[in-house]
Amino acid sequence: PDVAGGAEPRATGLPQTSPSAEDFQRGLSSGITCVLPEEEQKRVYVGTVEGRVIIFSTEHDFSVLRWIHLEDASPVTCLDVATWAEGVEVPDGELPGLLAVGTQDGMAHIYSLANGRLAGSINIPKALPEGDSHHALRHIRMVRIAAEASLPVTLMTIDRRSRIRFWGFKVHVQSGKLEGLKLLVDCGQLRESDCVPAEWLSRLKEKRDTEARIRKKKREEEAAKAAKAKAAKEAEQKDAAKDAKGEAVVEEEAKPPEDEGSQGEGENLAAEARWTSKEPVRICAFTAMPSMPVQLPIDCLDKQPFEGPVASAAQALEEMKNS
């Protein structure tokens, strides 16, 4: 559906960062791709398929404050806002901070919240060619941790194939342009096999062997009962045949006991498939842990990867060397 948001058309003469009356009549977008509400700012950031970010105010009947047109016009896939991030120096009354925009083409754009101007872009497919077309960013987040003194803002990107990367950058306070950029960590790809504890396979085999022994014992007991019942039935039939003086007796073959199988056999097979799977894990959501110490249950920790994406990246690198 078109996005109009109930806003009134603005008067002409405003900068191009504001929609015109004709824009409102046509509709601001033909499709919404992502929405980022910010309660403290009283704003809603909306990404569109046309490669735009439309900023609504929640104070005045969701009027449009500004819209930003991406230079590559690629559909917007994720958004993040950080008012704490050091950007261009803004006058009093203007909102400080930065806006991070991820796109379908794998680009990460950094904008100033104060004026909506582009500070700089990270062309991830060009900087880190992976040899595939799965560059679309699914998550983007500015982290309030400075990896280096000269790089006060850390940016995390997660693409379609769940490849996690951390970038450090700095925006010049006067020019508002990106003056420093560095790839801090390339975590590689988190695969399904990396999310299974190392000792899990031995526990699975032990469980499967135990279930197999139980099924075997059950089959033997059922076979013994069936043989005993068959012998008793044959004796009865022989006695009945004698009494009937030669009447034909049709013996019904006893059916072998059905193997009910293991109730968790399907679950075990699915889990074993994860153990050997090279498919990437799809990261649907994430959160930042608090700065204070956190006591986690042992059972939860026991189900987490021991080396995580680091081991996965090393494994992928080793496979590339051997191929």
Side-chain angles (χ1 to χ4, degrees):
D2 291 346
V3 181
E8 295 294 334
R10 294 192 172 194
T12 58
L14 292 177
Q16 295 180 354
T17 53
S18 298
S20 63
E22 291 77 11
D23 294 324
F24 281 100
Q25 291 176 357
R26 289 193 301 265
L28 302 184
S29 174
S30 61
I32 296 174
T33 53
C34 55
V35 177
L36 175 65
E38 287 291 337
E39 184 178 0
E40 294 183 0
Q41 302 176 21
K42 297 181 180 180
R43 291 184 176 186
V44 177
Y45 297 81
V46 177
T48 72
V49 295
E50 295 87 2
R52 302 189 190 115
V53 179
I54 309 173
I55 306 175
F56 295 89
S57 171
T58 61
E59 290 186 303
H60 307 292
D61 195 23
F62 286 91
S63 59
V64 177
L65 299 176
R66 186 191 305 276
W67 68 354
I68 299 173
H69 300 264
L70 274 60
E71 293 183 356
D72 56 356
S74 175
V76 178
T77 55
C78 49
L79 298 165
D80 188 40
V81 171
T83 55
W84 51 265
E86 296 182 10
V88 64
E89 189 175 1
V90 299
D92 294 339
E94 293 290 338
L95 184 65
L98 300 173
L99 166 67
V101 182
T103 70
Q104 186 73 28
D105 292 339
M107 297 281 290
H109 302 287
I110 308 299
Y111 290 88
S112 171
L113 287 177
N115 50 31
R117 293 179 181 175
L118 179 66
S121 301
I122 307 174
N123 191 337
I124 300 177
K126 186 177 180 179
L128 300 169
E130 297 287 350
D132 57 36
S133 57
H134 303 285
H135 298 294
L137 295 183
R138 288 291 177 261
H139 303 281
I140 194 167
R141 179 69 61 87
M142 285 178 282
V143 185
R144 200 169 187 172
I145 298 176
E148 298 180 7
S150 59
L151 303 172
V153 183
T154 299
L155 179 72
M156 181 185 70
T157 61
I158 304 177
D159 64 14
R160 182 180 176 183
R161 295 187 66 85
S162 298
R163 289 178 288 226
I164 307 173
R165 299 182 178 98
F166 289 90
W167 312 77
F169 69 89
K170 180 180 181 180
V171 176
H172 195 277
V173 295
Q174 295 180 347
S175 66
K177 296 297 182 181
L178 204 64
E179 66 171 1
L181 174 64
K182 181 179 180 181
L183 174 60
L184 303 173
V185 180
D186 187 353
C187 300
Q189 193 175 55
L190 183 62
R191 304 180 183 182
E192 288 188 346
S193 56
D194 299 313
C195 298
V196 182
E199 70 276 8
W200 173 86
L201 187 59
S202 60
R203 293 202 303 264
L204 173 62
K205 290 181 178 179
E206 182 180 353
K207 179 182 178 182
R208 196 160 49 188
D209 293 342
T210 301
E211 292 175 346
R213 288 194 299 269
I214 294 174
R215 294 198 303 271
K216 183 180 179 181
K217 183 178 179 181
K218 185 178 180 180
R219 286 196 299 267
E220 291 175 351
E221 292 176 352
E222 291 177 349
K225 291 180 180 179
K228 186 176 179 180
K230 182 178 179 180
K233 187 174 182 180
E234 289 177 351
E236 292 177 359
Q237 288 176 347
K238 289 180 180 179
D239 295 339
K242 292 179 181 179
D243 295 340
K245 297 180 180 181
E247 289 184 2
V249 177
V250 179
E251 295 185 2
E252 182 180 353
E253 295 184 0
K255 294 182 180 180
E258 296 182 358
D259 184 9
E260 296 180 358
S262 172
Q263 295 181 353
E265 188 173 359
E267 178 183 351
N268 291 343
L269 292 176
E272 188 173 5
R274 286 192 61 198
W275 172 261
T276 57
S277 173
K278 302 300 181 183
E279 291 298 317
V281 172
R282 182 179 180 183
I283 301 176
C284 299
F286 59 90
T287 186
M289 300 298 293
S291 58
M292 63 185 70
V294 178
Q295 182 66 36
L296 295 177
I298 298 178
D299 293 341
C300 294
L301 292 176
D302 192 39
K303 297 179 182 178
Q304 301 302 314
F306 290 95
E307 297 180 71
V310 177
S312 177
Q315 184 179 0
L317 181 61
E318 189 66 25
E319 292 176 356
M320 291 176 60
K321 290 181 179 178
N322 296 333
S323 61

